[in-house]
Amino acid sequence: MDAKTPPHLKYAPRPAERPSAAEAEAAVRTLIAYAGDDPGREGLLETPARVAKAYREFYSGYEEDPAAILDRVFDEAGGYEDLVLLRDIPFHSHCEHHMVPFIGKAHIAYLPNGGVVGLSKLARLVDAYARRLQMQERLTQQIADAIETGLAPHGVAVAIEAEHHCVSMRGARKSGVSTVTTSFKGVFKTDPAERARFLQLVEGRR
């Protein structure tokens, strides 16, 4: 990606002064104490190390370059120009406001313009952005923008549905609430029929 690439699509490098594992574990011990428990009791002795390790997995998207995921396009698709759709891509992310999970599924479609990308790459793209501190609205937009920038298709459609634990576990404490966000590019934005076709296929109607 060049200098004109939108900032939210650029590779997010590590902070210059990333805390050490020991510093992260000390922070976890502080939070355990803040929660009201004793970080020195037997059942919690190894918890700081486990949490620090888990964070590297939860937020591994910061180690990924989304542009590199879509850097190989296959031109030998037999001239295929119709819709390519991946439904029900599972993901988990963490709300940047409370650092609690939101979990759901992503649905991605694009209309090729001379080439297609490996299907697993689209699933990897979802994880590259989801495994960061996120907002669902931004996540939806980032996935759509990355596909538009990387593949230059005739159109891109992304729909995400997720349950936010910051709603179900705290605050309103309403479980089972589903949040749906969408982003449409190209013909999916300008042609209501194509947009409706995408939404119908996502819902499983043929």
Side-chain angles (χ1 to χ4, degrees):
M1 293 187 179
D2 57 27
K4 296 181 180 180
T5 301
H8 68 284
L9 289 183
K10 292 181 178 179
Y11 172 52
R14 295 181 180 182
E17 297 294 332
R18 187 171 195 165
S20 67
E23 290 171 320
E25 291 171 22
V28 175
R29 282 190 286 272
T30 299
L31 288 174
I32 292 172
Y34 181 73
D37 213 321
D38 176 11
R41 71 175 175 84
E42 183 179 2
L44 292 173
L45 286 177
E46 301 300 322
T47 296
R50 293 190 186 105
V51 172
K53 182 178 180 180
Y55 261 46
R56 295 300 296 270
E57 184 175 352
F58 292 158
Y59 303 115
S60 60
Y62 290 114
E63 311 287 344
E64 293 274 3
D65 181 356
I69 294 173
L70 301 178
D71 65 354
R72 185 180 181 189
V73 177
F74 298 99
D75 296 319
E76 299 178 357
Y80 185 82
E81 296 180 344
D82 206 347
L83 180 146
V84 176
L85 169 67
L86 271 71
R87 290 189 308 192
D88 299 330
I89 304 169
F91 76 90
H92 67 264
S93 189
H94 283 78
C95 165
E96 66 181 38
H97 300 132
H98 300 98
M99 295 183 72
V100 294
F102 64 95
I103 300 171
K105 295 179 180 180
H107 316 284
I108 299 174
Y110 70 98
L111 280 168
N113 182 20
V116 297
V117 70
L119 299 179
S120 65
K121 299 297 183 69
L122 297 178
R124 282 186 57 199
L125 182 68
V126 172
D127 275 347
Y129 283 120
R131 290 177 179 267
R132 305 179 182 196
L133 292 171
Q134 271 290 10
M135 296 173 59
Q136 183 174 329
E137 298 88 343
R138 183 197 301 129
L139 174 62
T140 307
Q141 193 68 46
Q142 286 176 326
I143 293 169
D145 286 349
I147 296 171
E148 183 179 49
T149 300
L151 303 184
H154 293 299
V156 181
V158 177
I160 291 180
E161 49 186 312
E163 180 173 354
H164 290 247
H165 289 202
C166 61
V167 175
S168 61
M169 294 175 59
R170 56 157 302 280
R173 298 184 183 179
K174 301 296 183 183
S175 61
V177 176
S178 181
T179 299
V180 178
T181 50
T182 58
S183 180
F184 300 108
K185 305 283 187 180
V187 296
F188 290 105
K189 186 172 184 178
T190 60
D191 188 340
E194 286 294 341
R195 188 162 61 250
R197 181 161 74 118
F198 165 73
L199 294 173
Q200 288 170 356
L201 287 172
V202 166
E203 293 172 3
R205 297 197 298 269
R206 296 294 189 273

